[in-house]
Amino acid sequence: MRNWLVLLCPCVVGVALHLWLLLSCPGSHPAGPLSFPQWKLKHYDVIVGVLSARHNHELRSVIRSTWFKHLKQHPSLNQRVLVKFIIGAYGCAVPVKDREDPYSCKLLNISNPVLNQEIEAFSLPEDIPSVLSEDRIVSVNFRVLYPIVITSLGVFYEADGVGFQRNITVKLYQAEHESFEGTIVWESQDLQGLVSRNLHKVMVNDGGGVFRVITAGEGSLPHELTEGVEGIAGGFIYTIQEGDALLKSLHTRPERFTSHIKNLEKEDALLKEESSMYDDIVFVDVIDTYRNVPSKLLNFYRWTVESTSFDLLLKTDDDCYIDLEAVFNRIMQKKMDRPNIWWGNFRLNWAVDRTGKWQELEYPSPAYPAFACGSGYVISKDIVQWLASNSERLKTYQGEDVSMGIWMAAVGPKRYQDGLWLCEKTCESGMLSSPQYSPQELGELWRLKELCGDPCRCEER
């Protein structure tokens, strides 16, 4: 027996030493919860992701003092829900005034504007002869980055001059008043075609960067404006409007950049302090602009799968009223805590916008697949896992709600339509969510909710 003890002692000591090393050296034990059950990630019934802009401190503060505070004080829900604000880790380094549009982070690259003279937008190389094509409709899309005045429109004509004898019209369409985008269409009204050129064989004078021709690879404007063959069958002459103001803006650009970078540094410090104080922010690896919101969402999905354990995920925005108790009650009533679930208020056959804030240049169809409006929706864990695992390959579109619809068209989840996820800024008794509120309005909705049980009104007593 003593011999057996002599043999076993080194083994026992070795095992004990190995366990001690695993427990005392964090870097030496295997990753993941499987080795030690007590290290398992906390499980939540629902994770709430709140998309938030970096500068929306006040909205986040109101949420923390209203429905989020109510959740923390709730005796049965406070341990079942995890709430995180989703914020881009980086601010845009370009001041808003110096961007192509306020929704992206692309520099308005006007460097050497041609002022106080007329500019011919298109010209043809002299060594390329004019050829009559069979195309009866030719169009070109362009984006104006600084206001211009088009002084004349024209058409190409054949060497013998017969081009001017035919019935040809030139139309200029401005896509929307709020935008600087348009289309020029040349159309022959008879059976003969147009003298046209492929865009790649045309020299473009952008006036120093004040406008840009949009090719098919970059997307297109609405179908009714782009009927026909892409190219040009003529040209236009323009001048740059308010050239002195443009020069002044370019001259003061370095000062704006310096001031903007200082403001970004202050914003970073405030966000770091806010995150340290409340521990409810997930910083995702994107520049925080509207155009990057779909990427913010995909990054958050990856974070949830890698960092938490959950059954359902609720997505909302920081300007939305949310009633989490009502959401939980509906989940239990409808038994939605199961796989392949997408629960929201769905927009069907929604037309694709080609201009403005919701400009879509990547999705070719005239209408989007069904998508849930952004005030709130719930998806099951398996859908989140699919999105997370494919996040590097999924194409992002102009908004996270329509992007989600396009991604889900490939998955085919079970959709549950519910009009209590409100799509517009309005108040209804029993609503689950409602969007587009100011911090003061959100505070007032919740005050009425706590006082009378209804965020919309208090009955006179």
Side-chain angles (χ1 to χ4, degrees):
M1 178 65 69
R2 182 176 299 177
N3 291 338
W4 279 104
L5 289 175
V6 171
L7 290 172
L8 288 173
C9 281
C11 298
V12 173
V13 172
V15 170
L17 179 61
H18 180 66
L19 288 174
W20 178 82
L21 286 172
L22 285 174
L23 292 171
S24 61
C25 302
S28 62
H29 62 73
L34 296 179
S35 299
F36 298 92
Q38 66 268 29
W39 291 353
K40 266 192 174 181
L41 298 172
K42 179 175 172 56
H43 182 83
Y44 298 94
D45 290 351
V46 177
I47 290 181
V48 181
V50 184
L51 283 169
S52 184
R54 289 166 60 90
H55 59 273
N56 285 353
H57 301 277
E58 192 175 358
L59 281 169
R60 292 192 292 274
S61 178
V62 169
I63 288 174
R64 293 187 183 106
S65 65
T66 55
W67 62 263
F68 195 176
K69 178 181 178 181
H70 178 75
L71 170 69
K72 290 180 177 180
Q73 296 173 346
H74 198 283
S76 61
L77 296 183
N78 61 353
Q79 296 299 314
R80 300 169 64 185
V81 182
L82 176 67
V83 178
K84 291 290 185 179
F85 294 100
I86 313 165
I87 299 177
Y90 315 103
C92 176
V94 181
V96 175
K97 188 175 181 179
D98 296 286
R99 302 177 196 175
E100 285 195 2
D101 61 71
Y103 315 116
S104 67
C105 191
K106 193 169 184 178
L107 176 67
L108 179 61
N109 192 23
I110 299 176
S111 56
N112 188 26
V114 180
L115 305 178
N116 303 318
Q117 68 181 66
E118 290 189 327
I119 305 165
E120 188 174 356
F122 307 125
S123 58
L124 301 176
E126 295 181 359
D127 58 342
I128 300 179
S130 296
V131 178
L132 182 66
S133 72
E134 296 180 356
D135 303 319
R136 293 178 57 196
I137 300 177
V138 177
S139 64
V140 63
N141 303 319
F142 63 94
R143 179 179 300 147
V144 177
L145 305 175
Y146 186 83
I148 64 175
V149 177
I150 293 180
T151 58
S152 65
L153 293 169
V155 297
F156 298 144
Y157 61 94
E158 297 164 86
D160 56 9
V162 298
F164 283 120
Q165 299 172 12
R166 305 210 321 272
N167 189 9
I168 296 175
T169 60
V170 183
K171 301 174 184 177
L172 172 65
Y173 297 90
Q174 182 175 345
E176 279 189 5
H177 292 297
E178 68 176 88
S179 73
F180 290 94
E181 301 193 19
T183 302
I184 295 178
V185 176
W186 296 269
E187 182 174 2
S188 174
Q189 302 297 317
D190 56 29
L191 296 179
Q192 288 182 290
L194 294 163
V195 178
S196 62
R197 286 291 180 272
N198 185 297
L199 281 176
H200 299 291
K201 298 180 180 179
V202 174
M203 293 182 292
V204 179
N205 187 337
D206 65 2
V210 298
F211 89 97
R212 178 189 307 134
V213 172
I214 304 176
T215 62
E218 298 176 69
S220 61
L221 293 173
H223 178 267
E224 63 269 19
L225 298 183
T226 57
E227 182 181 1
V229 178
E230 182 188 41
I232 64 171
F236 65 91
I237 296 175
Y238 68 98
T239 60
I240 296 176
Q241 190 177 23
E242 298 180 355
D244 292 339
L246 176 56
L247 287 180
K248 182 178 179 181
S249 176
L250 294 176
H251 179 72
T252 56
R253 175 175 282 182
E255 299 173 13
R256 285 196 300 277
F257 266 78
T258 300
S259 175
H260 182 69
I261 293 301
K262 290 181 179 178
N263 289 334
L264 280 183
E265 292 172 351
K266 293 179 182 178
E267 186 176 71
D268 285 340
L270 286 173
L271 285 170
K272 183 177 180 181
E273 181 181 353
E274 180 183 355
S275 177
S276 176
M277 180 179 299
Y278 297 104
D279 192 28
D280 58 10
I281 296 176
V282 174
F283 291 103
V284 293
D285 189 23
V286 299
I287 297 174
D288 205 293
T289 64
Y290 178 78
R291 294 283 183 244
N292 283 341
V293 171
S295 295
K296 286 175 65 173
L297 194 62
L298 286 176
N299 275 269
F300 179 69
Y301 289 154
R302 289 174 58 185
W303 179 87
T304 60
V305 170
E306 295 169 359
S307 307
T308 63
S309 176
F310 64 98
D311 294 326
L312 299 169
L313 184 145
L314 189 162
K315 175 268 162 189
T316 187
D317 294 338
D318 60 9
D319 64 351
C320 295
Y321 168 89
I322 290 287
D323 188 340
L324 280 180
E325 275 191 273
V327 170
F328 259 88
N329 290 337
R330 190 64 63 89
I331 289 173
M332 301 307 295
Q333 291 171 3
K334 301 292 184 180
K335 297 181 180 179
M336 293 187 187
D337 51 342
R338 58 182 187 271
N340 203 36
I341 293 297
W342 190 14
W343 171 35
N345 192 354
F346 296 94
R347 297 188 187 273
L348 305 177
N349 301 315
W350 195 262
V352 175
D353 288 321
R354 301 300 185 186
T355 58
K357 180 178 181 180
W358 296 284
Q359 178 189 61
E360 178 63 74
L361 296 178
E362 299 294 334
Y363 192 67
S365 299
Y368 290 115
F371 64 90
C373 58
S375 67
Y377 59 78
V378 171
I379 52 177
S380 51
K381 179 181 179 179
D382 58 315
I383 292 177
V384 179
Q385 289 174 324
W386 184 87
L387 290 165
S389 62
N390 291 281
S391 59
E392 297 294 335
R393 291 176 287 179
L394 289 173
K395 184 174 180 58
T396 58
Y397 297 88
Q398 61 83 11
E400 52 85 17
D401 47 0
V402 299
S403 293
M404 186 70 175
I406 296 169
W407 301 332
M408 289 297 94
V411 177
K414 175 65 176 177
R415 294 202 313 264
Y416 285 87
Q417 167 63 28
D418 194 332
L420 291 178
W421 297 101
L422 303 186
C423 293
E424 306 297 338
K425 182 181 180 180
T426 185
C427 198
E428 295 182 14
S429 297
M431 65 184 181
L432 303 172
S433 68
S434 184
Q436 301 172 357
Y437 289 101
S438 69
Q440 294 74 26
E441 290 170 332
L442 280 177
E444 179 61 15
L445 286 172
W446 196 256
R447 187 187 72 81
L448 292 177
K449 167 73 173 175
E450 291 192 315
L451 184 64
C452 307
D454 188 340
C456 303
R457 64 187 65 85
C458 276
E459 297 293 338
E460 296 183 3
R461 298 177 181 177

